[in-house]
Amino acid sequence: MRFLFSRLVHGIFLLIGISVLAFLLFALAPGDYVSEIRLNPQISPETLVALRHQYGFDDSIAVRYAHWLGAALHGDFGFSFAYNVPVTRLLGDRVANTLLLTLPATLLAWLVAIPIGVISAAKQNRWEDRAVSLGNTTLLITPDLLISLSFLWFALRTGYFPVGSMTSLGYEEMRWPEKLKDIALHAAIPITVLVLSIVPVLIRHIRATMVETLQSPFVRAARAHGIPRGRLLFRHVFPAALNPLISLLGLSIANLLGAALITEIVMSWPGLGPLLLESVLARDLYVVIGAVLVSTLLLQAGVFISDLLLFASDPRIRTKSAG
Amino acid sequence: MCALKLKVRSILGLGVIALQLACAWAIVPPQPVRPGEELALSTAQSGKYGGRLAIALRSEPKTFNPVTLVDGSSREITGRLNADLIHINRATQNTEPALAKSWKVSKDGLRYTLQLRRGVRFSDGAPFDADDVVFSFAVYLDEKLHSPQRDLLVVGDKPIAVTKVDAYTVAFQLAQPYAAAERIFDNIAILPRHLLLKTYEQGKIGEAWSISAIASEMAGLGPFRLKEYLPGQRATIERNPYYWKIDKEKKRLPYLDEITFLFVPSEDAQVIRFQSGETDLISRMSADNYAVLERDQQARAFHMNDLGPGLEYNFLFFNLNSVLPKGAGSVAAKQDWFRKVEFRRAISAAIDRDSITKLVYRGRATSLVTHVNPANKLWLNPNVRLAPRSADKAREMLRTAGFSWKQDGTLVSASGAPVEFSILTSSSNAQRSQIATIIQDDLKQIGIKAQVVPLEFRSLLDRVFQTHEYEAAVLGLGGGDVDPNPQMNVWLSTGSNHLWNLGENKPATPWEAEIDGLMKQQLSTLKVPARKRLYDRVQQLVADNLPIICLASPNILVGAKNKVGNFNPSILDPYVLWNADELFLQ
């Protein structure tokens, strides 16, 4: 209980800190939402002045932050200047779409990384390990953007996959199984790109932890007792190496969120990424703050889940926390 | 018994939901023409009903509210949902009757009396009359709403007075004669009073018809009505069954069942979507992408069109602002050069505009001498001609202005300072960055060291409009219309887009004073030939004094699948969908 409470307090302070930082960075950035409207020769200077006043650009950043924080405490995270709708409404659908990519991608990445990392550790310095290492290095040095564009080119040339968006035209007329298939087809490339962006890091960590654990005295003892290799690796060594990997889960979600922003933009996936980019360029302050806070929340949720798993899996942590 | 009732209810409930869904996705047929309807006749080729057209937009619409919209994507969609009283035909560039079937102008040019079409209905079936017009203009002119359209409706510092004469006649009283006043009405959407009056009275019209609005609670007089909006993905509009235009065979337009706007944030991704067949039309692309698509057009059953130069003009300009920020001493020192007209002429003479059009736009652009390009046939002054590029002539002008060269070829001012300055450009606009680099190279040949500084677009605008911390910049301006009036804010010395010297209380130079006078005079001159003479003189003054050094106007490049009938793109915005009501699928 105390653990949950401390996590909650920590999370609230982090959110406030991030919001202050985001506001300050925005204050330092030149230009504001009406800057681009100025280029429209049909809009008079009086209208621009009125718009600036309406959006509160005449107030200092401290006053604007105080107003925003006061409203946010009542659940109002501000209005989008561009869309003229509450930020929460704008972000709701996008968060769900981003999670539709990142959750399966996280799951798949771990499912792929665990056996490869374990085998790579078990076959240390042999051709299997070297092949995995080569693949990993290649993926690590290839920018996510290039991977996305290569898959797009593949989709365009073969026609096997759609070249963007989340659903096809005519999606609404489809029946449920067709709808699921349609979304799965659209998500296939972005999820693959996300998996490829995170898998090398996971494999390296799993391999390193496994190699370290394999050198433990209990493994030598287990080998001496004649426990079969596969059973030894997955039933004894892997659980023992689990703690650092569970901590990595939270960080892998952060990594994925970062990668998802780029992938969503390239693949026209209607998630947080395109909205965040558009809002930053348009200086749509409250949308940016909202999107940043949502990303922080998702990251915190990932870290929190990994903490809970750690708490459940390691009796030492439970004892320390109780003490 | 009770359980059975519940089951029956849930089955019935499911049935109703299924029926509603089926209705939501059913195709809306056009309503038969009724006696007494005063419909407009389309002169385009008669087409056939049916089908869905898809086109990509660079960004999402921000609103469906015509009162508050400022962005291009919202305009592109709402333009198809609404109609205006008098419309600019994008093909002829002239005005034509729309919801107003005819109009009369008083002899003094101050009163416009418009006759409205009878029997016209909004997309929800409600009748349209003069009350809707009076209501719409009251909303646009409401100061509290800050509608961008309001500025168009203020003539001689006074808002246009709109009065209902009878149910189908409306009078517009202007404070002073206004040239081409009919053009003001273009794109001023007529709003449904029956749906929005209450919202307006509650002071909430600015929030109405946002992207989260329910489609069935909206109505307009355009050829289509909103069907569905999926955030981040697409918006679909469907046929307005009551639309007020018919074809030669007396069939009610539009032909298309639906148009879907896909939100595709990058130009390259839009090209891929067009190549893959997901979209049927494409517009606004670079010459590089045009070349890629041109190679593919035979194999993939689409065709590309180069419409020639559009209304956008790109230019170089110097910071001539009289008020500079503290610490901008270096800019102030360089302004001595920038203010010399010989210096600006020398820069203009040194720039190789042909290289810009060839290298940056692959030849799909036109070199410019002023802001009016050859596409604007009505207003171009043919006597203002671009002199061929000449580095020798540029050197001669600089020598006359008191500049000289050091042994190593560096140009120095009369005080011996080397002539060097920075050119700001938008980092997100590859073409303008390339233009700045070509200028840098051209100026090097006459001993000037120019540094290209790409900046994020809003940062660039902040420097130009707010802080004035810049020496020179490359920018582009466009125009929604060929008429000179939308350019008032650029050329009046008090204008908000008088980029080179913002916030002037009075003209800084005699030629700017003359331009002020000419622009104001043409605004209230009703005879077109007389206006043309005045605007010709403005172009001559711009070419002589070069407050902006015009460079190039890119061509409008568009494409469409071969199956799209009545495809008749225009150089005026919206380039490919301006006649959406006449488009059909073969």
Side-chain angles (χ1 to χ4, degrees), chain B residues 396-470:
Chain B
E396 199 182 308
M397 289 175 192
L398 289 168
R399 202 171 289 121
T400 315
F403 292 89
S404 57
W405 285 266
K406 288 206 301 194
Q407 290 270 325
D408 63 356
T410 305
L411 184 73
V412 290
S413 66
S415 63
V419 177
E420 51 185 53
F421 54 83
S422 59
I423 304 173
L424 302 192
T425 178
S426 166
S427 56
S428 57
N429 190 314
Q431 284 86 15
R432 285 193 200 133
S433 295
Q434 287 168 20
I435 288 174
T437 311
I438 290 173
I439 293 173
Q440 181 186 39
D441 198 47
D442 289 340
L443 297 185
K444 200 173 166 186
Q445 292 175 32
I446 56 168
I448 295 176
K449 189 180 170 189
Q451 286 174 311
V452 177
V453 183
L455 280 181
E456 190 267 328
F457 191 47
R458 276 168 203 264
S459 307
L460 166 63
L461 295 180
D462 194 59
R463 295 240 192 149
V464 171
F465 284 99
Q466 291 286 114
T467 64
H468 307 323
E469 285 176 272
Y470 72 101

Side-chain angles (χ1 to χ4, degrees), chain A residues 38 41 89 167 172 281 283, chain B residues 212 228 456 458 466 489:
Chain A
R38 281 170 183 281
R89 195 180 296 171
T167 52
E172 292 74 18
L281 293 177
R283 305 285 193 274
Chain B
S212 51
E228 174 210 35
E456 190 267 328
R458 276 168 203 264
Q466 291 286 114
N489 269 333

